[in-house]
Amino acid sequence: MQNAPESSLVGEEYEVEVGPVAHGGHCIARTEEGRVLFVRHTLPGEKIVARITEGEEDSRFLRADAVRIIEASKDRVEAPCPYSGPGNCGGCDWQHAKPGAQRRLKGEVIAEQLQRLAGLTPEEAGWDGTVVPAEGDKLPKGEVPAWRTRVQYAIDTEGRAGLRKHRSHDVQPIDHCMIAAPGVTELGIEKQDWSQMASVEAIAATGSNDRQVILTPRPGGRLPLVELDKPVSVLRVEERDGGVHRVHGRAFVRERADERTYRVGMGGFWQVHPQAADILVKAVMQGLMPRKGESALDLYCGVGLFAGAIAERIGEGGGVLGIESTKRAVEDARHNLQDLERVRIEHGKVEQVLPRTGITETDLIVLDPPRAGAGKQTVKHLAGLGARRIAYVACDPAALARDLAYFREGGYKPRTLRAFDLFPMTHHVECVAILEPAAKGV
């Protein structure tokens, strides 16, 4: 391990008063000298001792952990998870906050990002300022929603399963993850010796009893004989090409949403919270209000979740084009929607495939881009297609706000925005924005 540079401030401690929450699971504080600190494990309004974890004398800002609470917020609780806190697992950001406070903090982040990056107030975005929990996630004090249906375990040098520490490759071994869904916990990953593995991903489908583990061996590592506590299919990530290959059992899991079954192969993308797919489909369909015979685009369509939902509602006279960059997801989407002749799925990046389609107009658009957002050029293209409504599904409020600003340049404004707490205990939040042409109502 290299020694820290002489200018490093790592390990230095400052007594500070904590300011507002910031995007990323931390709060902002300033030292008496005016240094900006991004502090984890604290809450707005607290007085704390912050220990620097990253940064040097000339850094624009410093990262820190709250290692001692001098004056606690009324929203503070004792973290239910024994692996939460400074220097431990980095998976949860808000274990130390009451559930209602977590949602308020997420709402404050959304509002700040909308104002700073899009120049929008909540009212202008059509948002009531609330972040809505999933049904069943409101639990008695001290209990944590067990929602995470996909958990990526890192393996330490002794073969123990654990989770990464915050902004680190170091592994925190665990014997139980409190936010893991019961279907993941029942596999007993934490009890096994994974000595030759680099990581083990566990997947518990909510639309079926399908269970899957994806093993990534260390260089030269051999697969263990996998004997877990429940029947499970096993996949392997190949060292040579990074591809995922079936070892035994199904190469996919079956998920269910909007009264359809979706095949999700080789560890492909599906919403992690067990209720998320249904919640998001409902929000998108309520916002778009598809009509019989309409045409629609489903961009970054994954295994076809929104394309299937729209196609069911527009009837045989309409049509849906889905675009997805992951080859296996395209295969799954085509399989999942094969009974819907009005759906076509194209493989490739949205910014490359969409111009090639020759489509010059459409009635509806739904896009669920990766965390970085859709970007200026793609948004400009979409704004030129004359859609009467656009649904934007966002897992990152900063990317959403940036793209909303681009849509405004293209003549679209938010009609409604809804926020859902589909990642309890973390700083992540899911939003659905419905946009319409600014020049006219619908």
Side-chain angles (χ1 to χ4, degrees):
M1 182 176 173
Q2 292 182 333
N3 293 326
E6 289 185 10
S7 60
S8 172
L9 294 175
V10 173
E12 293 290 322
E13 295 186 356
Y14 299 89
E15 186 175 305
V16 295
E17 292 187 4
V18 180
V21 65
H23 183 29
H26 49 253
C27 297
I28 297 174
R30 289 182 182 272
T31 67
E32 289 183 355
E33 300 81 24
R35 295 183 185 279
V36 176
L37 307 184
F38 289 169
V39 191
R40 284 172 58 82
H41 311 294
T42 189
L43 294 168
E46 292 190 323
K47 191 173 184 179
I48 64 162
V49 173
R51 180 180 297 154
I52 306 304
T53 57
E54 289 182 44
E56 301 179 13
E57 289 280 358
D58 59 352
S59 297
R60 192 163 54 89
F61 61 85
L62 307 172
R63 296 186 184 274
D65 285 338
V67 293
R68 186 156 60 91
I69 310 302
I70 300 171
E71 294 178 10
S73 165
K74 61 180 175 54
D75 291 324
R76 176 174 285 277
V77 295
E78 185 174 348
C81 177
Y83 304 109
S84 177
N88 295 325
C89 170
C92 290
D93 307 291
W94 300 121
Q95 285 267 352
H96 59 286
K98 294 177 182 177
Q102 294 181 34
R103 292 190 286 273
R104 284 200 309 275
L105 292 169
K106 295 181 188 192
E108 289 172 17
V109 168
I110 295 169
E112 189 272 336
Q113 297 294 303
L114 287 172
Q115 182 62 59
R116 186 167 64 86
L117 298 175
L120 292 170
T121 65
E123 292 76 18
E124 290 168 333
W127 177 44
D128 65 6
T130 63
V131 176
V132 182
E135 186 177 347
D137 279 357
K138 288 187 173 182
L139 297 172
K141 184 179 179 180
E143 293 188 27
V144 171
W147 58 271
R148 194 169 187 89
T149 60
R150 296 173 175 230
V151 177
Q152 178 93 31
Y153 294 92
I155 309 302
D156 72 5
T157 55
E158 298 178 31
R160 298 174 298 180
L163 299 169
R164 298 282 184 194
K165 298 182 179 181
H166 182 60
R167 294 176 60 84
S168 170
H169 293 294
D170 294 342
V171 179
Q172 168 67 59
I174 64 171
D175 57 19
H176 173 58
C177 175
M178 293 187 75
I179 64 171
V184 169
T185 299
E186 68 185 12
L187 294 176
I189 299 291
E190 299 95 339
K191 296 186 291 186
Q192 305 294 316
D193 180 359
W194 302 100
S195 293
Q196 299 199 52
M197 298 296 102
S199 68
V200 177
E201 182 177 7
I203 298 171
T206 52
S208 65
N209 290 321
D210 293 348
R211 304 289 181 261
Q212 189 176 83
V213 296
I214 304 174
L215 306 178
T216 303
R218 297 184 185 280
R222 299 180 60 182
L223 285 187
L225 181 63
V226 178
E227 294 183 356
L228 296 172
D229 294 351
K230 293 285 181 178
V232 64
S233 62
V234 178
L235 281 62
R236 171 193 175 117
V237 177
E238 292 293 342
E239 182 181 344
R240 182 181 69 258
D241 59 5
V244 181
H245 302 277
R246 184 176 68 88
V247 177
H248 70 75
R250 288 194 182 98
F252 58 86
V253 296
R254 293 162 297 177
E255 298 284 3
R256 186 112 179 127
D258 195 43
E259 300 183 359
R260 290 185 67 87
T261 297
Y262 289 85
R263 184 182 81 182
V264 184
M266 299 300 189
F269 175 78
W270 186 260
Q271 291 289 342
V272 179
H273 192 292
Q275 297 175 47
D278 274 321
I279 287 171
L280 295 174
V281 165
K282 184 177 180 180
V284 168
M285 295 304 112
Q286 286 177 341
L288 292 181
M289 293 194 302
R291 302 166 183 167
K292 296 294 184 183
E294 287 193 312
S295 61
L297 295 174
D298 180 8
L299 308 178
Y300 318 92
C301 72
V303 299
L305 175 64
F306 297 115
I310 294 173
E312 294 278 13
R313 290 160 173 81
I314 60 175
E316 294 181 4
V320 182
L321 171 65
I323 301 176
E324 167 59 39
S325 63
T326 305
K327 185 177 180 180
R328 177 62 199 233
V330 169
E331 294 171 2
D332 286 337
R334 289 171 177 166
H335 170 85
N336 294 332
L337 307 178
Q338 60 186 320
D339 61 312
L340 301 171
E341 293 183 0
R342 52 199 175 273
V343 177
R344 187 170 100 247
I345 307 294
E346 294 289 344
H347 175 226
K349 294 182 177 180
V350 169
E351 62 270 24
Q352 296 172 355
V353 173
L354 188 56
R356 293 204 303 263
T357 65
I359 292 173
T360 57
E361 59 183 3
T362 191
D363 297 305
L364 303 172
I365 299 171
V366 56
L367 62 158
D368 185 3
R371 193 167 300 280
K376 188 170 187 176
Q377 288 307 115
T378 295
V379 168
K380 182 179 179 181
H381 189 144
L382 298 180
L385 298 179
R388 69 173 180 85
R389 285 196 181 168
I390 298 172
Y392 189 124
V393 182
C395 61
D396 185 273
L400 171 64
R402 283 192 297 269
D403 283 347
L404 287 181
Y406 299 144
F407 271 115
R408 183 174 56 206
E409 294 173 10
Y412 278 80
K413 66 178 182 180
R415 177 186 176 91
T416 61
L417 188 148
R418 299 171 70 184
F420 301 97
D421 189 18
L422 302 181
F423 308 89
M425 302 291 151
T426 79
H427 75 272
H428 299 290
V429 62
E430 199 84 18
C431 296
V432 176
I434 304 298
L435 297 99
E436 63 184 7
K440 59 181 179 179
V442 177

